[in-house]
């Protein structure tokens, strides 16, 4: 699931936390022929709402039309586009890889380089948890492949806007001037 | 006060001012049918749930109020999917209540269970499965709010049997709380200013009025705008009646079977003022070649319509009536402030030229020839009250109806535009007559369409709803036959129906209607007059019409509007 940079859009969609809302969103995409790359959903801190992070293929439809159609769903409260440059994106992956005999050491070394965590160990396989930007996960996947990937599960990405980096404005401190 | 869910549901419909609903009971909806006995709401028992849906639509078309249908679970719910899709495509406000198996049985493939909410998700504006009786008043209130505001549409409420049987504490929500639903109704002032300037500056403007005018009750405002600026108006299939056909500025219907003048005026325009219209492919023809020189002002309540098909130069999201009124004010202010309107006289004389040279025509039948469908329509038009509500099915008869009628009042044309649903007219006419009992209601139907839902005339007879049906019986699926004749080398595959099987007169009589048959031109008027006099039961007239007659003008599907095909008599020397 490697997406060339710039070929996708990430939408952060705040929806009412009601039964069937995810199905509504997914079937809207299916019905209009838009492609979903990845989709992650979970409740927010406010239990009335959930946040869906949808990564879509820019080729499949004009973004503007997707957003407008999505916004027509009654349970969709807010939609923000997260430009890749202006947002932080993370993804989590669990991967079970072959790690037997002579390769075991090399696999573990790779996991350490990528700051992964070994969460399960079998006779000749290990399961690793790795989180980070999606491209890091892609790289890890590529490097692991020669050793033998048994199973892999990625969560799809979640994202939030980047925070304002400009210097804080000086606030008046103390009593009245003059 | 404690009520059952069923009582609360009916009570909620009463609170919404529902006066009539169309439906048919069954196991899952049984508890809801019980309190109907004690309710002032009139229930009309249909013979097929598709009929209930189209009746609700016909009612909504004619009255502007939401139509209500109520049916049971499973096959009843699937039977109403077509009307839901129809209402969705044509933005018809409608609320459908479906029964559902008990919530404990949902997901078990129980008898007559079907995933109604899943099936109807993409053909409703919104739908909801009620899991708690306590939620019913709120959900009903929201359903009506959603169905009737913003861009109207159908809403479905699915009620499990046990939820209808459970008890709840009655309340009526004072307001709706839908954080994700806030339709924009007022247009952006800067855009309205820009639109006003553009309108006054253009030399070849055309107003492209769509069904949204009727939904927004904007016919008056439209007329004011057109007269103030002297700009011609085309009315789409869904907008027929939104601007009077007899008005000097009315050009009639554009599109695939539109008038030459309407189609060509749009093609040559330098400005299209699209009001509540959605650039449907049946209007635009090949999109890339549509109105190539025109700038576009697009007014629509649905933001997703802006730029969906054609990128507007001035997009205005808002209620058509409010926006047009603002626009008129703005134009007046500009004119008062000394801005002059560009000279449109050359354009207006070109349009008049087309109108004179390319009127709608057909060749009248000669002595002994078969009856011409267009002649039947002209006779019907000229011998019924001017506020008659005309309902049609889908096919050639629909296009002739739109072409040859003179719609001079809004809400007199009831039609299936976006979905093009055969079988729409008989039940929709019944719904329209229920909503407007004071009006004469005529359904013009094809013989193919009629056979799809004719059984609803049993409903009409039983309920004493005196609609009148004119079948233009050409013994064929006529519109398909026309395409086969023109584009498939006259290879008529599976379109012949037979003129006299069924015997429409006997069928009508069996359903409690008066049945008449007309074969010759001189019989047309007496039959219409006779039908007009009958007011205690439905009437069906079987007009035997010429099977070879075709609908012209025609823009072949997928072609540019420049390639419009004229009727044979006008083909020589056609030029723009
Ligand atoms: C439910 C449905 N099925 C099929 C069609 C395709 N279709 C469009 S027009 C038409 C023929 C209609 O024939 P008829 O009712 O006899 O009317 P006519 O064209 O002869 O006036 C057909 C089959 C449709 N629009 N709707």
């Amino acid at each position: 699931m490697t997406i060339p940079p710039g070929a996708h859009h990430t939408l952060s969609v705040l929806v009412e936390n009601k039964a069937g809302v995810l199905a509504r969103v997914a079937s809207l995409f299916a019905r209009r022929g838009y492609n979903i790359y990845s989709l992650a959903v979970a409740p927010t801190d406010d239990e009335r709402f959930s946040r869906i992070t949808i990564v879509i293929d820019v080729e499949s439809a004009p973004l503007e039309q997707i957003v407008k159609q999505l916004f027509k769903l009654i349970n969709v409260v807010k939609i923000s586009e997260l430009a890749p440059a202006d947002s932080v994106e993370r993804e989590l992956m669990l991967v079970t890889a072959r790690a037997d005999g002579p390769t075991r050491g090399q696999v573990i070394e790779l996991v350490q380089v990528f700051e992964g965590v070994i969460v399960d160990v079998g006779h000749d396989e290990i399961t690793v948890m790795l989180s980070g930007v999606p491209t890091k996960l892609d790289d890890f996947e590529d490097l692991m492949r020669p050793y033998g990937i048994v199973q892999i599960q990625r969560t799809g990405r979640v994202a939030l806007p980047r925070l304002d980096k400009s210097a804080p404005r000086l606030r008046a401190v103390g009593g009245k001037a003059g | 006060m404690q009520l059952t869910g069923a009582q609360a549901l009916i009570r909620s419909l009463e609170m919404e001012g529902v006066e009539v609903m169309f439906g048919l009971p069954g196991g899952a909806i049984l508890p809801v049918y019980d309190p109907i006995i004690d309710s002032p709401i009139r229930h009309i028992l249909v013979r097929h749930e598709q009929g209930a849906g189209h009746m609700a639509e016909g009612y909504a078309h004619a009255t502007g109020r939401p139509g209500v249908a109520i049916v049971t679970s499973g096959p009843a719910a699937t039977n109403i999917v077509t009307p839901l899709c129809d209402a969705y495509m044509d933005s018809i406000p409608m609320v459908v209540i479906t029964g559902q198996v008990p919530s404990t049985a949902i997901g078990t493939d129980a008898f007559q269970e079907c995933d109604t909410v899943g099936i109807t998700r993409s053909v409703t504006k919104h739908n909801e499965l009620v899991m708690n009786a306590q939620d019913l008043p709120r959900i009903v209130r929201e359903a009506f709010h959603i169905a009737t505001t913003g861009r109207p549409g159908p809403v479905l409420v699915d009620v499990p049997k046990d939820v209808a049987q459970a008890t709840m504490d009655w309340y009526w929500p004072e307001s709706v709380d839908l954080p994700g639903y806030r339709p924009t109704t007022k247009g952006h002032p800067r855009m309205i200013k820009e639109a006003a300037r553009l309108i006054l500056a253009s030399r070849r403007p055309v107003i492209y009025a769509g069904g949204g005018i009727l939904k927004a009750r904007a016919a008056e405002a439209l007329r004011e705008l057109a007269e103030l600026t002297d700009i011609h108006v085309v009315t789409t299939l869904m907008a027929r009646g939104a601007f009077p056909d007899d008005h000097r500025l009315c050009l009639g219907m554009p599109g695939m079977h539109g008038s030459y003048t309407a189609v060509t005026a749009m093609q040559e325009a330098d400005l299209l003022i699209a009001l509540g219209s959605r650039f449907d492919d049946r209007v635009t023809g090949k999109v890339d070649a549509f109105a190539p020189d025109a700038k576009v002002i697009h007014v629509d309540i649905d933001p997703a319509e802006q730029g969906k098909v054609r990128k507007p130069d001035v997009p205005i999201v808002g209620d058509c009536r409010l926006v047009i009124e603002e626009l008129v004010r703005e134009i007046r202010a500009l004119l008062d402030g000394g801005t002059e309107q560009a000279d449109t006289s050359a354009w207006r004389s070109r349009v008049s030229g087309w109108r004179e040279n390319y009127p709608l025509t057909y060749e009248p039948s000669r002595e002994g020839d078969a009856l011409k469908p267009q002649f039947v329509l002209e006779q019907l038009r000229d011998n019924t009250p001017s506020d008659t509500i005309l309902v049609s099915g889908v096919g050639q008869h629909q296009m002739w109806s739109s072409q040859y009628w003179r719609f001079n009042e809004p809400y007199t044309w009831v039609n299936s535009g976006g979905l093009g649903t055969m079988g729409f007219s008989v039940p929709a006419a019944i719904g329209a007559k229920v909503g407007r009992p004071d009006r004469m209601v005529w359904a013009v139907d094809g013989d193919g369409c009629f056979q799809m839902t004719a059984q609803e005339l049993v409903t009409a007879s039983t309920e004493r709803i005196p609609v009148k049906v004119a079948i233009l019986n050409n013994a064929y699926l006529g519109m398909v036959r026309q395409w086969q004749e023109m584009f498939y080398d006259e290879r008529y595959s599976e379109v012949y129906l037979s003129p006299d099987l069924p015997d429409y007169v006997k069928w009508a009589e069996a359903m409690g209607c008066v049945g008449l048959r007309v074969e010759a031109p001189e019989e047309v008027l007496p039959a219409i007059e006779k039908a007009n006099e009958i007011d205690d039961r439905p009437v069906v007239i079987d007009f035997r019409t010429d099977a070879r007659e075709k609908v012209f003008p025609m823009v072949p599907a997928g072609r540019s509007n420049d390639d419009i095909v004229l009727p044979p008599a006008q083909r020589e020397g056609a030029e723009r």
Side-chain angles (χ1 to χ4, degrees):
Chain A
M1 90 140 232
T2 312
I3 318 168
H8 71 277
H9 290 285
T10 305
L11 296 179
S12 179
V13 184
L14 192 69
V15 299
E16 286 186 84
N17 196 358
K18 286 187 173 166
V21 175
L22 185 61
R24 274 179 218 285
V25 170
S27 65
L28 182 141
F29 275 77
R31 136 109 170 79
R32 296 198 179 260
Y34 308 150
N35 256 336
I36 301 183
Y37 261 122
S38 120
L39 183 144
V41 55
T44 62
D45 54 318
D46 183 337
E47 62 183 21
R48 290 174 302 155
F49 303 113
S50 289
R51 189 178 301 284
I52 307 180
T53 305
I54 311 175
V55 182
I56 45 180
D57 171 357
V58 277
E59 304 287 306
S60 80
L63 181 72
E64 190 183 309
Q65 192 47 221
I66 297 181
V67 170
K68 285 173 169 177
Q69 291 295 344
L70 211 47
F71 204 61
K72 280 172 73 166
L73 298 179
I74 307 293
N75 303 124
V76 169
V77 179
K78 197 175 165 202
I79 303 176
S80 1
E81 198 209 340
L82 301 178
D86 301 329
S87 56
V88 283
E89 294 185 329
R90 291 293 181 273
E91 198 174 350
L92 179 73
M93 170 164 90
L94 287 175
V95 53
T96 301
R98 293 202 67 79
D100 49 357
T103 66
R104 198 167 179 103
Q106 293 169 19
V107 170
I108 290 170
E109 205 169 304
L110 207 55
V111 171
Q112 281 163 354
V113 171
F114 274 81
E115 295 176 309
V117 179
I118 295 171
V119 291
D120 199 11
V121 179
H123 186 252
D124 47 12
E125 293 170 349
I126 59 169
T127 296
V128 177
M129 178 184 79
L130 187 66
S131 67
V133 295
T135 47
K136 172 179 161 185
L137 271 53
D138 295 344
D139 292 346
F140 184 69
E141 217 181 299
D142 288 345
L143 290 167
M144 287 296 282
R145 193 158 294 120
Y147 299 104
I149 292 177
V150 182
Q151 278 190 79
I152 194 163
Q153 168 72 58
R154 293 174 65 156
T155 57
R157 57 190 80 187
V158 292
L160 285 177
R162 268 184 205 286
L163 302 177
D164 189 3
K165 298 293 190 301
S166 54
R169 245 180 292 141
L170 289 179
R171 265 186 237 121
V173 183
K176 282 185 197 140
Chain B
M1 180 178 40
Q2 290 252 312
L3 295 183
T4 64
Q7 288 167 333
L9 175 59
I10 297 301
R11 188 76 184 267
S12 303
L13 296 176
E14 289 167 13
M15 296 298 285
E16 285 294 344
V18 175
E19 53 175 27
V20 59
M21 52 193 178
F22 307 92
L24 194 146
I29 198 75
L30 258 180
V32 180
Y33 264 76
D34 187 71
I36 288 178
I37 289 191
D38 306 315
S39 171
I41 299 177
R42 176 181 182 193
H43 180 278
I44 289 173
L45 176 63
V46 300
R47 296 316 191 252
H48 186 299
E49 289 88 355
Q50 184 184 355
H54 292 321
M55 285 177 206
E57 287 186 86
Y59 176 90
H61 266 282
T63 64
R65 295 197 295 275
V68 180
I70 176 164
V71 302
T72 193
S73 66
T78 56
N79 273 349
I80 212 159
V81 171
T82 300
L84 282 170
C85 190
D86 194 85
Y88 187 61
M89 296 285 281
D90 287 344
S91 309
I92 309 297
M94 172 156 92
V95 173
V96 171
I97 313 285
T98 46
Q100 183 54 277
V101 299
S103 56
T104 47
I106 288 177
T108 66
D109 302 319
F111 177 64
Q112 292 190 334
E113 178 187 1
C114 92
D115 175 14
T116 303
V117 170
I119 286 174
T120 60
R121 188 170 289 135
S122 55
V123 296
T124 50
K125 186 172 172 187
H126 190 61
N127 62 18
E128 197 99 37
L129 171 65
V130 186
M131 290 303 274
N132 193 332
Q134 199 60 38
D135 295 337
L136 270 162
R138 175 180 60 79
I139 289 176
V140 170
R141 173 105 213 245
E142 287 171 0
F144 278 83
H145 179 70
I146 293 167
T148 55
T149 53
R151 179 178 183 165
V155 178
L156 180 138
V157 180
D158 199 25
V159 187
K161 190 170 188 175
D162 57 329
V163 171
Q165 285 164 329
T167 50
M168 54 83 70
D169 292 313
W170 170 255
Y171 65 100
W172 184 242
E174 283 311 309
S175 57
V176 289
D177 176 26
L178 294 164
Y181 182 69
R182 284 172 304 253
T184 310
T185 53
K186 272 195 62 113
H188 195 290
R190 192 167 48 81
M191 291 295 169
I192 288 173
K193 276 204 172 65
E194 213 171 308
R197 267 197 296 271
L198 205 55
I199 289 171
L200 291 183
S202 84
R203 291 173 176 276
R204 303 191 308 276
V206 174
I207 294 175
Y208 160 29
I213 295 280
L214 293 169
K215 305 292 156 18
R217 311 247 134 203
E220 273 295 304
L222 169 63
R223 190 176 173 140
E224 208 181 342
L225 175 67
E227 288 176 355
L228 174 66
T229 55
D230 236 358
I231 297 178
H232 289 106
V233 180
V234 305
T235 50
T236 67
L237 182 68
M238 292 311 294
R240 305 288 290 124
F243 191 73
D245 273 323
D246 286 345
H247 197 287
R248 68 191 163 84
L249 292 170
C250 190
L251 303 182
M253 181 171 73
M256 179 177 274
H257 290 298
S259 73
Y260 180 86
T261 311
V263 172
T264 311
M266 286 177 95
Q267 278 305 90
E268 310 264 300
D270 68 349
L271 176 67
L272 286 180
I273 307 160
L275 307 172
S277 49
R278 59 187 182 88
F279 296 83
D280 184 86
D281 56 293
R282 283 290 189 266
V283 169
T284 62
K286 192 165 174 267
V287 174
D288 300 338
F290 173 63
D293 303 331
K295 292 202 164 166
V296 171
I297 296 169
H298 191 176
V299 179
D300 205 297
I301 189 125
D302 180 356
E305 287 303 325
Q306 301 287 356
K308 188 183 77 178
V309 176
R310 169 90 174 234
K311 198 160 173 50
D313 299 271
V314 184
I316 305 177
V317 176
D319 173 86
C320 257
R321 186 175 59 79
L322 297 179
V323 172
I324 296 171
E325 284 170 1
E326 280 295 321
L327 208 47
V328 165
R329 259 194 290 278
E330 193 60 42
I331 290 171
R332 285 227 158 88
L334 283 174
L335 291 172
D336 290 347
T339 308
E340 275 187 30
Q341 180 168 7
D343 182 8
T344 57
S345 54
W347 172 243
R348 275 184 286 125
S349 75
R350 274 183 83 196
V351 172
S352 321
W354 294 324
R355 250 210 287 216
E356 246 164 67
N357 293 329
Y358 304 105
L360 279 171
T361 55
Y362 65 95
E363 272 175 45
S365 52
R366 282 160 311 184
E367 192 65 43
D369 277 0
L371 191 56
K372 295 287 179 167
Q374 300 95 327
F375 175 75
V376 174
L377 274 160
E378 286 174 338
Q379 291 288 301
L380 205 51
R381 170 193 72 200
D382 295 340
N383 295 286
T384 47
S386 64
D387 63 358
T388 297
I389 295 175
L390 184 66
V391 187
S392 92
V394 170
Q396 292 181 311
H397 63 281
Q398 172 191 31
M399 292 300 128
W400 287 318
S401 296
S402 175
Q403 290 178 337
Y404 285 90
W405 206 261
R406 307 292 298 171
F407 296 98
N408 283 315
E409 272 192 50
Y411 315 106
T412 51
W413 170 237
V414 178
N415 198 243
S416 167
L419 195 62
T421 306
M422 287 175 72
F424 175 83
S425 74
V426 167
I430 295 170
K433 182 71 183 171
V434 168
R436 296 303 308 260
D438 53 320
R439 295 285 183 90
M440 190 177 278
V441 176
W442 272 92
V444 171
D445 216 357
D447 45 332
C449 289
F450 183 77
Q451 291 186 54
M452 289 201 178
T453 51
Q455 81 283 353
E456 291 311 327
L457 285 171
V458 179
T459 305
S461 295
T462 319
E463 296 274 342
R464 301 229 166 257
I465 303 163
V467 292
K468 305 178 200 306
V469 184
I471 306 172
L472 300 187
N473 176 3
N474 55 8
Y476 278 94
L477 296 170
M479 188 56 101
V480 184
R481 183 191 188 282
Q482 172 166 347
W483 287 43
Q484 288 176 343
E485 179 178 338
M486 292 173 70
F487 310 119
Y488 291 86
D489 294 329
E490 300 179 42
R491 287 162 56 85
Y492 298 116
S493 174
E494 303 298 328
V495 285
Y496 181 66
L497 294 175
S498 150
D500 36 35
L501 247 189
D503 182 325
Y504 294 100
V505 172
K506 283 191 188 151
W507 193 7
E509 286 168 355
M511 292 188 289
C513 313
V514 173
L516 305 168
R517 177 163 296 128
V518 171
E519 318 220 21
E522 64 276 9
E523 298 164 15
V524 172
L525 182 56
I528 292 170
E529 282 173 341
K530 184 161 180 202
N532 282 346
E533 276 160 25
I534 298 167
D535 212 27
D536 61 343
R537 71 196 62 201
V539 186
V540 176
I541 310 181
D542 172 20
F543 288 102
R544 300 293 184 94
T545 58
D546 188 347
R548 285 160 312 172
E549 202 51 46
K550 288 184 288 296
V551 187
F552 287 118
M554 177 178 196
V555 178
R559 298 276 287 279
S560 157
N561 282 347
D562 294 326
D563 300 338
I564 187 165
V565 180
L566 288 162
Q570 291 175 350
R571 275 181 212 162
E572 284 302 298
E575 60 191 319
R576 289 194 282 118

